[in-house]
């Protein structure tokens, strides 16, 4: 993509990002294939940071690969594995490589992943990480020391519009904006009415909102997420629609639903863009974009 | 108080393999209240060890004593005359007591019979729960008397993570989300403003480890 992610955000166009999950191990052929497939179809590619606390290739080198391939990487950074020294050092390192988009997350707890005995760090939280980045941009590290040359990032964070209770989530959302967040990706949303309510509130703030779109692959997946994934709610009519798909066509139905949702979000100008998470089905992102009429 | 668990018997038995004269030292404070290392538990452990030795046809001699507490030298001193009659000392105190005992009698092998867990409260009969991480930088004034450092699995200071679900924690669905508790308490008190501002990062520099505190009146003496 010719434009940087920041330029895309500021242009006012409906922004589209997707996700690249680094593999566990050094065989990166499949990941490279996904990068190649997606890089020119989206405005940014998020690289997950040891997603779900499962140890994998780290984010920064994968961001670099995306950049070398001509794509626009978004570095995901969690507070789980690094203290404030390591986080800042990584940010400076990212900047000198030309990686300027950062998405700040708290990170899942270590016990949900595959190294349950690891020491959880959480020295900073997502709000404080944003604040640390804003500080670096102003030429000071988190302890107030002068930097020799300061970076400039496009900073993002997360919100969960379906969180229950929602109020503490919104207080934190406002803190993230105060700390410098320029864009906010949401946790997966399926209930557009509830999302519209959230957007009515979010529009009061000077921040770009990108709706999280997680590709449904079966009715069972939707039910599983409702029961087990915090902050995700798939309404019954969508579960029924998935369940009613012809045998062997559930994935296509999921693509159709995702495409339809994206089209509605864009056409009705509900939010500023979408972040597509096709967990394990990254190859299907172009089909989702086609279903949304975007390519 | 300090809450501990007793180590599994097999672990204690393995630690004591080869020792014949064993002194078990209980502690009358916290570990006595949480029914892990008081007089009664000393008795139980001694019986278990005797029975196990008897079964294996081994000869052992076990001494039992429970001190007022093991975190004060004046009480530990009471072991002075007895301790040399034994090859090994098993302390049933918390980790602090075990270490203080070992420090005072550094010619003796001192082994722990407990796993020290946390600083907590008695929630109900036989139920104890952690309430303080001893972080040296208390935030309870801002958080409605509920400690996010302790109650939030991630120790987050600026609100809930995305893992919060129906007021519960992503780490354990049976545990409350600290930030839901904090929000509800502050809402009830009309003090939500105290969490609207960005809370500064924790100052780990004040947590000098190991911690040490000298009362003003005793500073010169030190």
């Amino acid at each position: 993509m010719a434009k940087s992610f920041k330029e895309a955000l500021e242009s006012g166009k409906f922004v589209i990002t997707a996700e690249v999950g680094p593999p566990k191990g050094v065989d990166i052929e499949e990941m490279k294939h996904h990068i190649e497939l997606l890089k020119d179809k989206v405005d940014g590619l998020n690289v997950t940071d040891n997603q779900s606390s499962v140890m994998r290739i780290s984010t920064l080198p994968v961001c670099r690969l995306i950049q070398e391939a001509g794509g626009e990487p978004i570095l995901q950074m969690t507070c789980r594995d690094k203290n404030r020294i390591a986080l800042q050092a990584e940010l400076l390192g990212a900047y000198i490589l030309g990686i300027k988009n950062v998405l700040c997350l708290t990170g899942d707890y270590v016990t949900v992943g595959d190294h349950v005995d690891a020491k959880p760090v959480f020295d900073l939280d997502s709000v404080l990480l944003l604040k640390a980045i804003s500080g670096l941009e102003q030429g000071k590290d988190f302890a107030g020391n002068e930097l020799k040359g300061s970076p400039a990032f496009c900073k993002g964070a997360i919100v969960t519009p379906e969180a229950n209770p929602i109020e503490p989530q919104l207080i934190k959302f406002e803190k993230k904006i105060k700390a410098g967040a320029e864009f906010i990706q949401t946790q997966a949303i399926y209930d557009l009415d509830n999302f519209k309510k959230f957007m009515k509130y979010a529009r009061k703030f000077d921040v770009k909102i990108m709706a999280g779109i997680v590709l449904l692959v079966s009715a069972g997946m939707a039910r599983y997420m409702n029961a087990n994934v915090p902050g995700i709610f798939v309404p019954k009519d969508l579960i029924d629609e998935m369940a009613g798909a012809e045998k062997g066509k559930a994935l296509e139905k999921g693509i159709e639903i995702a495409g339809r949702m994206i089209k509605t979000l864009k056409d009705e100008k509900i939010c500023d863009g979408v972040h597509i998470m096709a967990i394990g089905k990254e190859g299907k992102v172009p089909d989702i974009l086609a279903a949304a009429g975007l390519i | 108080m300090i809450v501990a668990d007793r180590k599994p018997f097999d672990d204690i038995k393995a630690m004591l393999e080869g020792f014949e004269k064993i002194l078990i030292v209980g502690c009358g404070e916290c570990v006595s209240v949480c029914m892990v290392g008081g007089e009664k538990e000393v008795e139980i452990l001694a019986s278990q060890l005797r029975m196990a030795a008897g079964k294996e046809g081994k000869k052992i001699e076990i001494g039992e004593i429970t001190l007022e507490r093991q975190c004060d030298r004046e009480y530990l001193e009471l072991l002075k005359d007895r301790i040399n009659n034994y090859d090994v000392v098993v302390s049933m105190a918390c980790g602090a007591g075990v270490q203080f005992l070992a420090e005072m009698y550094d010619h003796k092998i001192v082994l722990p019979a407990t796993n020290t867990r946390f600083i907590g409260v008695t929630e109900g009969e036989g139920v104890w729960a952690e309430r303080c991480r001893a972080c040296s930088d208390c935030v309870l004034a801002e958080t409605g008397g509920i400690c996010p450092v302790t109650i939030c699995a991630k120790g987050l200071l600026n609100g809930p993570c995305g893992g919060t679900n129906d007021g519960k924690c992503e780490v354990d669905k049976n545990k409350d989300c600290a930030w839901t508790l904090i929000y509800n308490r502050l809402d009830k008190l009309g003090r939500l403003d105290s969490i609207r501002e960005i809370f500064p990062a924790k100052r780990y520099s004040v947590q000098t480890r190991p911690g040490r505190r000298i009362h003003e009146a005793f500073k010169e003496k030190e």
Side-chain angles (χ1 to χ4, degrees):
Chain A
M1 290 252 133
K3 270 184 191 160
S4 72
F5 178 61
K6 197 183 176 97
E7 283 164 354
L9 273 180
E10 287 169 355
S11 73
K13 68 167 282 210
F14 192 77
V15 175
I16 300 152
T17 58
E19 219 159 76
V20 169
K24 191 180 193 70
V26 294
D27 178 351
I28 57 170
E29 285 315 306
E30 194 186 353
M31 182 182 74
K32 277 168 91 173
H33 170 70
H34 288 149
I35 293 170
E36 216 35 61
L37 186 71
L38 300 176
K39 69 181 172 67
D40 295 322
K41 297 184 178 71
V42 296
D43 299 293
L45 278 172
N46 267 260
V47 181
T48 53
D49 180 6
N50 293 301
Q51 195 172 26
S52 306
S53 307
V54 172
M55 189 284 295
R56 297 173 164 102
I57 295 175
S58 61
T59 31
L60 187 51
V62 175
C63 284
R64 177 66 172 179
L65 288 181
I66 291 172
Q67 197 185 37
E68 281 170 359
E72 177 73 355
I74 300 171
L75 180 84
Q76 288 199 3
M77 195 171 242
T78 73
C79 299
R80 177 191 56 238
D81 309 316
K82 298 184 181 81
N83 70 6
R84 63 191 83 178
I85 299 174
L87 289 168
Q88 293 179 94
E90 183 95 331
L91 285 159
L92 295 179
Y95 184 79
I96 63 160
L97 291 178
I99 291 147
K100 298 174 183 174
N101 311 305
V102 192
L103 184 80
C104 302
L105 306 100
T106 302
D108 291 325
Y109 199 68
V110 288
T111 52
V112 308
D114 68 351
H115 282 62
V116 296
D117 289 321
K119 184 174 185 177
V121 180
F122 302 108
D123 180 22
L124 301 185
D125 55 48
S126 49
V127 174
L128 293 169
L129 176 55
L130 284 160
K131 210 177 152 193
I133 302 173
S134 297
L136 294 176
E137 290 174 330
Q138 286 151 27
K140 300 260 187 183
D141 71 15
F142 200 70
N145 303 300
E146 293 279 341
L147 299 180
K148 188 176 173 187
S150 47
F153 289 101
C154 179
K155 307 176 288 297
I158 297 288
V159 73
T160 307
E162 296 282 358
N164 178 30
I166 187 70
E167 294 85 356
Q169 187 75 212
L170 300 183
I171 291 176
K172 194 166 189 180
F173 168 80
E174 291 178 31
K175 285 185 186 183
K176 287 175 177 176
I177 296 165
K178 255 185 235 170
E182 295 153 74
F183 70 99
I184 299 275
Q185 289 179 9
T186 76
Q187 172 59 290
I189 54 132
Y190 293 97
D191 182 345
L192 288 187
D193 290 335
N194 192 45
F195 183 60
K196 280 181 198 166
K197 262 184 242 161
F198 168 76
M199 282 309 301
K200 203 173 161 199
Y201 153 84
R203 281 290 181 228
K204 291 189 282 187
F205 303 93
D206 181 22
V207 70
K208 301 284 184 183
I209 308 282
M210 302 174 65
I213 302 291
V214 168
L215 173 65
L216 293 174
V217 298
S218 66
M221 173 199 179
R223 288 190 205 101
Y224 176 85
M225 289 199 300
N226 277 353
N228 297 293
V229 184
I232 294 190
F233 169 66
V234 188
K236 192 175 172 296
D237 57 334
L238 285 186
I239 298 178
D240 290 346
E241 195 179 340
M242 286 299 294
E246 262 177 69
K247 205 164 184 277
K249 304 265 179 177
L251 179 59
E252 275 144 66
K253 180 53 83 179
I255 292 168
E256 181 195 321
I257 291 172
R260 190 174 72 212
M261 283 176 59
I262 295 168
K263 192 169 185 321
T264 307
L265 291 166
K266 181 173 184 275
D267 291 351
E268 295 184 20
K269 296 187 169 56
I270 296 170
C271 58
D272 305 300
V274 285
H275 174 60
I276 303 167
M277 293 165 272
I279 306 153
K281 296 269 185 291
E282 284 77 7
K284 296 294 175 192
V285 172
D287 297 342
I288 297 172
L289 294 174
L294 290 166
I295 51 171
Chain B
M1 69 172 168
I2 293 168
V3 179
D5 284 335
R6 206 195 78 177
K7 281 181 181 287
F9 179 68
D10 288 346
D11 291 3
I12 300 175
K13 190 169 161 275
M15 276 192 294
L16 292 171
E17 194 61 48
F19 292 110
E20 284 179 4
K21 292 178 157 189
I22 303 161
L23 178 63
I24 304 176
V25 186
C27 177
E29 290 281 348
C30 318
V31 290
S32 181
V33 180
C34 65
M35 301 192 281
V36 158
E39 200 173 353
K40 206 168 137 198
E41 292 76 31
V42 169
E43 242 175 70
I44 293 168
L45 179 59
S47 307
Q48 281 181 298
L49 287 168
R50 282 191 199 102
M51 282 199 304
K55 239 190 211 169
E56 292 169 15
K58 286 180 183 162
K59 216 184 82 187
I60 58 165
E61 183 191 328
I62 296 175
E64 300 170 42
I65 184 169
T66 298
L67 304 174
E68 190 79 21
R69 54 178 177 266
Q70 294 188 26
C71 50
D72 264 319
R73 282 204 182 91
E74 56 178 304
Y75 296 110
L76 289 172
E77 255 168 35
L78 303 174
L79 296 175
K80 201 170 58 186
D81 297 330
R82 260 184 102 173
I83 202 163
N84 289 324
N85 300 332
Y86 297 90
D87 308 326
V88 65
V89 180
V90 175
S91 166
M92 298 196 74
C94 69
V98 178
Q99 290 188 59
F100 216 29
L101 199 165
E103 182 183 318
M104 197 151 159
Y105 299 102
D106 63 0
H107 61 293
K108 276 286 157 201
I109 297 168
V110 178
L111 303 173
T114 64
N115 290 320
T116 305
R117 298 282 308 279
F118 51 79
I119 301 175
V121 297
T122 309
E123 274 190 347
E125 212 175 330
V127 182
W128 296 278
E130 187 171 16
R131 284 291 187 279
C132 178
R133 282 278 164 93
C135 76
S136 308
D137 196 11
C138 192
V139 302
L140 290 171
E142 286 82 11
T143 57
I146 295 162
C147 177
V149 178
T150 309
I151 312 296
C152 170
K154 300 173 185 173
L156 302 178
L157 296 173
N158 276 297
C161 69
T164 180
N165 205 16
D166 295 331
K168 298 293 175 188
C169 175
E170 78 175 11
V171 176
D172 181 345
K173 283 179 187 166
N174 297 312
K175 286 184 181 156
D176 291 325
C177 165
W179 279 97
T180 302
L181 296 177
I182 291 168
Y183 177 84
N184 290 341
R185 174 84 54 85
L186 290 172
D187 189 25
K188 197 160 118 184
L189 296 171
R191 287 175 65 100
L192 280 172
D193 281 349
S194 75
I195 52 165
R196 289 197 198 280
E197 289 309 311
I198 296 174
F199 203 89
K202 199 108 198 91
R203 297 178 302 156
Y204 286 93
S205 62
V206 299
Q207 289 187 23
T208 47
R209 292 285 183 253
R212 196 152 192 266
R213 171 179 174 258
I214 308 163
H215 190 284
E216 284 302 318
F218 294 83
K219 276 196 173 153
E220 261 176 46
K221 232 165 123 187
E222 224 359 79

